């Protein structure tokens, strides 16, 4: 059975290398497909380069979307990584 979860996050800092790396590390332990959306653009939470290419700055709202058996936990972990890394 598959589930889906979405969490909006207001970024405390720009989505540059350090927070992108934290997101990739958080996403690595989950089986769900996880993406981060900024406006019309989206990127896999498993690719730091793609995350940085979203161009999301401090104060921007992004949406973490996960689909799979552990989607809720995956979305929460990625959202937490976005909120705590600077």
């Amino acid at each position: 059975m598959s589930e889906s979860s979405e969490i909006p996050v207001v970024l405390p800092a720009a989505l540059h290398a350090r927070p992108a790396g934290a997101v990739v590390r958080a996403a690595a332990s989950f089986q769900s497909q996880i993406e981060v959306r900024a406006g019309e653009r989206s990127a896999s939470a498993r690719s730091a380069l793609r995350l940085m290419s979203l161009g999301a700055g401090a104060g921007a709202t992004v949406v973490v979307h996960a689909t799979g058996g552990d989607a809720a936990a995956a979305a929460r972990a990625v959202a937490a990584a976005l909120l705590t890394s600077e």
Side-chain angles (χ1 to χ4, degrees):
M1 186 167 153
S2 180
E3 77 178 77
S4 181
S5 183
E6 277 194 3
I7 301 174
V9 177
V10 177
L11 298 176
L15 192 46
H16 55 79
R18 188 172 295 131
V23 168
V24 170
R25 287 188 297 280
S29 62
F30 296 96
Q31 292 181 359
S32 290
Q33 298 284 41
I34 311 163
E35 68 176 19
V36 177
R37 298 177 186 156
E40 297 295 317
R41 304 176 88 182
S42 67
S44 169
R46 288 175 169 64
S47 172
L49 287 176
R50 297 255 169 123
L51 289 167
M52 290 186 297
S53 75
L54 293 175
T61 299
V62 298
V63 175
V64 177
H65 178 80
T67 304
D70 55 1
R76 283 192 306 271
V78 168
L82 286 168
L83 289 170
T84 58
S85 56
E86 293 188 34

